[in-house]
Amino acid sequence: MFTRCTCHFSSQACLLVPPILERTFHTTSPVLKRRPQEIKKKNIAKKLSILEAEKASMPDPVVGIPTEFTKSLLRPLEIYKAATDPNATRYMNFFLDKKDEELLFETTPKKVAAEIEKSHKVGDEKVDDKFNNSTALVEEEKKAEIFKSLVSLHNSNAKSIMMYNVKKTVEEFGRNENDTGSAEVQAAVLTVRILNLHEHIKNNHKDKHNYRGLRKLVHKRQKILKYLKRESLERYYTTIKKLGLDERVIEGEIVI
């Protein structure tokens, strides 16, 4: 491209002159410039480190983070190991509570011993000294201890222990004692079943059938918790906090 000369000469050589090209100068050395490929590599490495940190912080989608509630649940192996320890806490089967234990193992032996003593008296005289109140009470207390051992959870199976945990779960998450159908109760009961099945699979690695059942239970719990989130955010966050679950596990894809 040529431009017309602005000088006052009418010479043909001055009519068209080439343009003056401007040159730019940089104070930074080209060696110090960051190339686009280097920037891309650093960005990819940064993203990978963030993903690894999130993966490391994400709890297990099956068992979650141990909480006060999940720690309070009974495990069959722990119950069976504590059976030989006389100082270990004994848990009752058949949904017996403290009032039932007091009636069966404290009040009843005393009353039976008193009735035995009365039956061996004629007037004010004792027929046989072997059947005094102290002897009868000792015998009845022995019977009560045997009966207590029979109805204890350490003599039951894993299903009875899970039923005990389910009853405890309904008391913890239910709005009342008869609430067994609310979303939080269903999610908590599924968590009890999941933990029980997970404990079984850890000790029986070749049990593929129950492994498939475990995945179904985890996805069913996820579906119920999503429903609970749509219904009430307050109940949703309270429930997942007690169960030790993370929102990323519930909302994202579960890989077991």
Side-chain angles (χ1 to χ4, degrees):
M1 295 291 295
F2 292 89
T3 58
R4 184 176 294 277
C5 181
T6 57
C7 64
H8 299 284
F9 299 98
S10 61
S11 172
Q12 188 69 22
C14 296
L15 293 177
L16 298 174
V17 295
I20 300 174
L21 300 176
E22 296 182 359
R23 297 185 62 183
T24 57
F25 297 93
H26 298 277
T27 57
T28 305
S29 174
V31 180
L32 300 177
K33 290 182 179 180
R34 297 176 63 186
R35 297 178 181 178
Q37 292 182 353
E38 295 177 356
I39 296 174
K40 184 177 180 180
K41 287 181 180 179
K42 289 184 178 180
N43 288 338
I44 292 173
K46 186 177 180 180
K47 288 180 181 179
L48 289 175
S49 64
I50 292 173
L51 289 175
E52 289 177 358
E54 289 181 354
K55 187 177 179 180
S57 63
M58 186 175 293
D60 191 333
V62 178
V63 296
I65 302 171
T67 61
E68 185 178 353
F69 167 72
T70 57
K71 289 178 182 178
S72 67
L73 298 175
L74 303 181
R75 270 70 174 180
L77 290 179
E78 296 176 0
I79 295 295
Y80 299 148
K81 287 180 181 178
T84 57
D85 187 3
N87 297 323
T89 305
R90 295 297 178 92
Y91 299 94
M92 294 295 106
N93 199 0
F94 309 109
F95 308 114
L96 298 178
D97 55 14
K98 295 296 182 182
K99 292 182 179 179
D100 297 329
E101 291 182 39
E102 184 180 355
L103 175 64
L104 292 173
F105 311 128
E106 295 180 13
T107 307
T108 303
K110 294 177 181 178
K111 289 186 176 181
V112 173
E115 291 295 328
I116 291 174
E117 184 185 12
K118 289 179 181 179
S119 65
H120 288 84
K121 281 185 178 180
V122 178
D124 294 333
E125 297 180 359
K126 294 181 181 179
V127 176
D128 194 345
D129 292 336
K130 291 191 298 182
F131 293 99
N132 55 46
N133 190 21
S134 59
T135 306
L137 182 59
V138 170
E139 291 296 325
E140 293 303 318
E141 287 177 347
K142 288 181 180 179
K143 294 177 184 178
E145 284 297 321
I146 295 172
F147 181 62
K148 186 176 183 179
S149 179
L150 289 174
V151 298
S152 177
L153 274 181
H154 73 266
N155 278 326
S156 64
N157 54 13
K159 185 177 181 181
S160 298
I161 296 174
M162 191 184 70
M163 289 174 64
Y164 178 90
N165 288 331
V166 168
K167 180 178 179 295
K168 189 174 183 180
T169 301
V170 173
E171 293 174 355
E172 177 71 22
F173 287 86
R175 302 176 189 176
N176 52 64
E177 58 182 7
N178 297 321
D179 180 17
T180 57
S182 60
E184 50 263 53
V185 172
Q186 292 184 48
V189 170
L190 284 172
T191 301
V192 172
R193 294 177 61 189
I194 288 168
L195 294 176
N196 184 65
L197 200 54
H198 181 262
E199 193 77 17
H200 169 77
I201 291 175
K202 280 200 308 183
N203 300 320
N204 301 274
H205 300 286
K206 295 183 179 180
D207 192 350
K208 301 299 181 183
H209 177 73
N210 279 324
Y211 187 80
R212 179 175 177 272
L214 177 65
R215 285 185 295 179
K216 290 176 68 177
L217 289 176
V218 171
H219 285 283
K220 188 175 181 181
R221 179 180 65 181
Q222 182 190 38
K223 184 178 180 180
I224 291 175
L225 287 173
K226 284 182 178 179
Y227 166 79
L228 180 61
K229 184 178 182 180
R230 294 194 300 268
E231 293 295 315
S232 173
L233 282 175
E234 182 180 358
R235 290 161 54 195
Y236 167 75
Y237 285 112
T238 303
T239 303
I240 64 173
K241 184 178 180 181
K242 285 185 178 181
L243 297 178
L245 300 175
D246 193 274
E247 191 174 9
R248 294 170 295 174
V249 174
I250 299 167
E251 297 296 331
E253 182 181 2
I254 296 178
V255 181
I256 302 175

